[in-house]
Amino acid sequence: MRPRRLLLGAGGALGVIAVAELASRTGLVDPAALPPASTILGRAAGLTVDSEYLTDLTVTLRVWAGGLLLAVLVAVPLGVVLGSVPALGTAARVLVELCRPIPSVALIPLVMVLFSSATQMTMSLVFYASLWPILVNTLYALRDVDPVAKETLASFGFGRLSVLWRVSLPSAAPFIATGVRISASVALLVSISTELLAGGGDGLGVYLNETQTGSGQVDVMLAVACWAGLLGLLINALLVGAERLAFRWNTARVEGVS
């Protein structure tokens, strides 16, 4: 089934490329607004040896990884505590539901005041945006743990921490991993968007701003967008693979959301 899905996905991508190429070459779409796909792909290939682009890519990946890692280190323990203690979970629910919908880019003016470094500013917004999917998944995963399994273990004399370690966390772990995977995509989007909107420092967003200065280079912009999409696809694939290895007993669920 998986090779068939890969072939279908590749076929769909090739179909989109072919349609975009024909639309530009035949004049159906203004080539100045949408260059031919072959030109965009050629630019994308050229970026692999562009030292400035590679430097900015490294900066974006470092900020992405730092913000995501910080979110995991905060959200998972916090979610375990709130999900294991019903009173705390209920008390925090309003705050979580209030803060979760706030777009991270809306906080750019605030973080520009709080942080002087562009890297710190972007990482803080990546952390904020990545926090909520992991926290919410952890909370709901712990709430949905089979109560019979917990009560059975408790009836044998195991304490609350033992029940949490032996039953609740193993049951919730696949859902927490899914939250991390969702946050990984969100973090990449937020890091590039923040660099693009706030400017300063380095990163893919800053690189895009610089390429559009003056007359603008649409082909370069779309080439960077292609690499960003491919990067997101690769990150997702790596995390799905890690889930399959870590949770072999839960492969069906991982396949369903990949």
Side-chain angles (χ1 to χ4, degrees), residues 26-118:
T26 59
L28 184 64
V29 177
D30 184 1
L34 180 64
S38 56
T39 302
I40 296 171
L41 293 177
R43 285 286 191 178
L47 289 176
T48 59
V49 294
D50 185 332
S51 59
E52 182 181 355
Y53 168 77
L54 294 177
T55 298
D56 287 327
L57 175 61
T58 302
V59 171
T60 296
L61 287 177
R62 187 168 63 245
V63 170
W64 165 82
L68 181 62
L69 178 60
L70 186 59
V72 171
L73 294 177
V74 172
V76 173
L78 182 60
V80 169
V81 172
L82 296 180
S84 302
V85 184
L88 290 178
T90 302
R93 185 172 183 177
V94 173
L95 182 61
V96 171
E97 295 301 329
L98 177 65
C99 295
R100 185 163 59 115
I102 299 176
S104 55
V105 292
L107 301 176
I108 288 179
L110 175 62
V111 297
M112 290 181 71
V113 174
L114 296 177
F115 301 101
S116 58
S117 166

Side-chain angles (χ1 to χ4, degrees), residues 99-143:
C99 295
R100 185 163 59 115
I102 299 176
S104 55
V105 292
L107 301 176
I108 288 179
L110 175 62
V111 297
M112 290 181 71
V113 174
L114 296 177
F115 301 101
S116 58
S117 166
T119 298
Q120 292 176 343
M121 179 184 70
T122 305
M123 189 176 294
S124 66
L125 291 178
V126 170
F127 163 73
Y128 177 84
S130 304
L131 180 73
W132 305 112
I134 303 172
L135 179 61
V136 170
N137 268 38
T138 304
L139 281 171
Y140 283 103
L142 287 172
R143 289 175 185 173

